[in-house]
Amino acid sequence: MEKVRMGVLLLVLLATLAGARPQETDPFVDEPDQCLIGVSAQVLAALSESLRTELKCEDLWSSVLLRYHHTRTNLTECLARASGDATPAPASSFCQLLLDDVERQLDQEHRQSLADIEQKLHVTQQEARAHHDEKTALEGQLHRLQDDRDTLYLELLLANIAIGDAQQAKKYYELYPGKDPADRLHAQIVRSVYRVAKYQDQRLLNLVQFVRTLAGTEPKLGLYRLMREEILKRPSQRDTYVAAIFALSLGADGDVRARDPRLYTDTMGPIEQRWRDQLYNGQFNEVADFARRFATQFAQMQKPLAYPNALPLPQQRLEAFRHILDQIRQHNPNNAHSYLVQTAKQFDICETFIKKSKVDAAVTQTLEQLRKRFAEFSRKEYGVYLREAKG
């Protein structure tokens, strides 16, 4: 009985395996791909041998079912693989063609866009280079124009100093750019004064007037120092009114004089001593010429010189006598007699000079006031000292 049941199971299994093959309907239609299972004689022998097992029928039946299940699974996978290799349906092929065409178009458009961008970038780079070259050329032209402008400012500055227009010279001095060190500009200015020896004295005096218009101590001090160096090199300036006017100008600037006191004393000291010696020896020409040409500046030196009758103008002489009387009162109050006798003699000369000149009432009034000052020392009148002087 057990053998009969095993035979039936084997037949069922074989029938099932045979049923897995597709049915043939038309001999003229191409058969679809099939999954073929080959059963060799060895397999049949193995199956036959399995019928002789000592296992119980239930266990053998379970084993057969398990083998059946595995075989069916393998057949299903085989059919799935076979159907996957089949030719796609016509609709799927058409869609794939459309998709491929769209991809080609997108690729072409992408390539064209890249080419357009590259072309525009190239054009932009060329334009940028052209603009850069143009900018460089314009900057070079601008620098040349600025240099020409600066050169013109310098020439106008020097020209206005030469002709004595201090205010215009100051204008161009302030317009001149500060790209060069101030010392370099100042050296150019001072050198320009001495280009023509014939005019160097007057141009130096013009430069002194220009310096006085500048703001700030540093530029003034720098120019004064350079001028003093040039003055000391030239006796024609060092020992004349040029040095005196130069010294008086810088001496009037308290800040400059405080910064460099010797700048004034080293210049003014020698010329004062020179003129004192000349006046003491009866040489009045230089002092008189200075007093006549530069009355304002001479008034500042009149006290240290104090030789009245060498002066060209009545007012200058009277002012000199005023300083002399002040000095006698200040320095010789107890032994003033001899000094007053000498002063009375010179005062008589001054009085004669004034009477011969055409003077206004103020000069005459000043003359009378100075005459009365002789009595302030010892109550002796001016006439007493004059008679003693004429002896």
Side-chain angles (χ1 to χ4, degrees):
M1 185 64 179
E2 293 288 333
K3 293 182 179 180
V4 173
R5 291 181 63 183
M6 292 299 296
V8 173
L9 288 173
L10 180 60
L11 291 175
V12 171
L13 175 61
L14 293 176
T16 302
L17 293 175
R21 298 179 62 183
Q23 299 293 325
E24 295 180 1
T25 57
D26 189 348
F28 298 100
V29 177
D30 293 336
E31 293 181 356
D33 295 335
Q34 298 178 1
C35 184
L36 302 178
I37 299 175
V39 181
S40 63
Q42 290 81 1
V43 173
L44 292 176
L47 289 173
S48 178
E49 287 294 325
S50 65
L51 296 176
R52 300 187 184 94
T53 180
E54 297 297 329
L55 296 174
K56 294 181 179 181
C57 183
E58 290 81 3
D59 296 334
L60 185 59
W61 178 250
S62 298
S63 177
V64 171
L65 290 177
L66 181 61
R67 289 175 180 270
Y68 168 74
H69 176 71
H70 287 167
T71 302
R72 184 178 179 85
T73 301
N74 291 337
L75 288 173
T76 303
E77 292 177 355
C78 182
L79 290 173
R81 286 194 296 271
S83 64
D85 294 336
T87 303
S92 299
S93 299
F94 179 72
C95 290
Q96 185 64 40
L97 291 175
L98 291 177
L99 180 60
D100 293 342
D101 185 59
V102 170
E103 289 180 350
R104 283 193 299 272
Q105 290 181 3
L106 290 175
D107 183 65
Q108 290 176 356
E109 292 176 359
H110 178 66
R111 292 176 182 274
Q112 184 62 41
S113 298
L114 288 177
D116 293 342
I117 292 174
E118 289 289 341
Q119 179 64 25
K120 291 179 180 178
L121 179 61
H122 179 68
V123 172
T124 302
Q125 289 175 341
Q126 288 182 328
E127 292 177 352
R129 282 194 294 269
H131 288 313
H132 180 269
D133 294 341
E134 184 179 358
K135 177 184 176 183
T136 302
L138 289 174
E139 287 178 348
Q141 185 178 2
L142 176 61
H143 291 157
R144 288 191 296 272
L145 290 174
Q146 289 175 337
D147 291 340
D148 292 342
R149 179 203 62 187
D150 298 343
T151 301
L152 178 61
Y153 283 161
L154 179 60
E155 291 177 354
L156 290 171
L157 166 62
L158 301 180
N160 280 281
I161 291 175
I163 64 176
D165 194 338
Q167 292 300 324
Q168 279 295 104
K170 177 186 177 184
K171 171 185 174 182
Y172 291 112
Y173 178 84
E174 293 173 347
L175 287 173
Y176 191 79
K179 62 180 181 180
D180 293 334
D183 292 345
R184 181 178 176 183
L185 173 61
H186 294 164
Q188 287 180 289
I189 293 174
V190 174
R191 283 198 304 270
S192 71
V193 168
Y194 295 95
R195 288 177 182 173
V196 183
K198 181 179 179 180
Y199 304 114
Q200 65 184 15
D201 291 348
Q202 183 57 52
R203 289 180 178 178
L204 183 67
L205 298 182
N206 294 343
L207 179 56
V208 169
Q209 293 299 318
F210 161 72
V211 173
R212 296 184 68 174
T213 67
L214 299 180
T217 303
E218 289 301 326
K220 292 180 181 179
L221 194 59
L223 284 165
Y224 279 135
R225 285 171 174 168
L226 291 172
M227 282 189 282
R228 183 184 64 174
E229 292 178 5
E230 298 299 325
I231 290 172
L232 296 180
K233 293 177 184 177
R234 297 168 172 82
S236 62
Q237 293 183 339
R238 181 189 63 215
D239 300 331
T240 64
Y241 67 92
V242 175
I245 294 176
F246 169 79
L248 290 170
S249 177
L250 68 90
D253 192 321
D255 293 334
V256 172
R257 191 168 179 175
R259 287 284 301 277
D260 191 350
R262 294 192 60 181
L263 193 62
Y264 172 80
T265 57
D266 290 354
T267 309
M268 180 59 80
I271 189 64
E272 279 187 352
Q273 186 60 47
R274 173 184 171 83
W275 283 350
R276 285 196 193 97
D277 294 341
Q278 287 181 348
L279 293 173
Y280 181 79
N281 294 313
Q283 300 173 0
F284 305 123
N285 292 338
E286 283 190 20
V287 177
D289 181 64
F290 176 62
R292 181 173 57 255
R293 294 176 59 187
F294 306 99
T296 302
Q297 288 82 356
F298 177 77
Q300 301 175 49
M301 296 184 66
Q302 198 166 349
K303 184 174 180 178
L305 294 177
Y307 283 85
N309 290 323
L311 304 177
L313 300 178
Q315 296 89 336
Q316 293 174 340
R317 296 189 181 193
L318 292 176
E319 188 64 25
F321 277 111
R322 186 192 305 278
H323 287 302
I324 291 173
L325 293 173
D326 289 341
Q327 289 179 10
I328 294 173
R329 175 173 289 281
Q330 181 178 358
H331 300 290
N332 307 96
N334 299 322
N335 57 344
H337 183 80
S338 60
Y339 294 103
L340 291 173
V341 171
Q342 296 176 10
T343 303
K345 182 179 180 179
Q346 295 296 324
F347 191 81
D348 181 60
I349 297 172
C350 176
E351 187 174 8
T352 302
F353 171 77
I354 290 175
K355 288 179 179 179
K356 292 180 180 179
S357 304
K358 294 181 180 180
V359 296
D360 55 21
V363 174
T364 303
Q365 184 178 1
T366 303
L367 180 66
E368 291 299 324
Q369 290 174 351
L370 291 175
R371 185 200 299 268
K372 293 178 181 179
R373 287 193 61 182
F374 282 84
E376 295 177 358
F377 292 88
S378 62
R379 295 185 180 181
K380 293 181 180 180
E381 299 292 336
Y382 161 72
V384 175
Y385 295 107
L386 180 60
R387 285 193 295 271
E388 184 176 346
K390 290 182 177 181

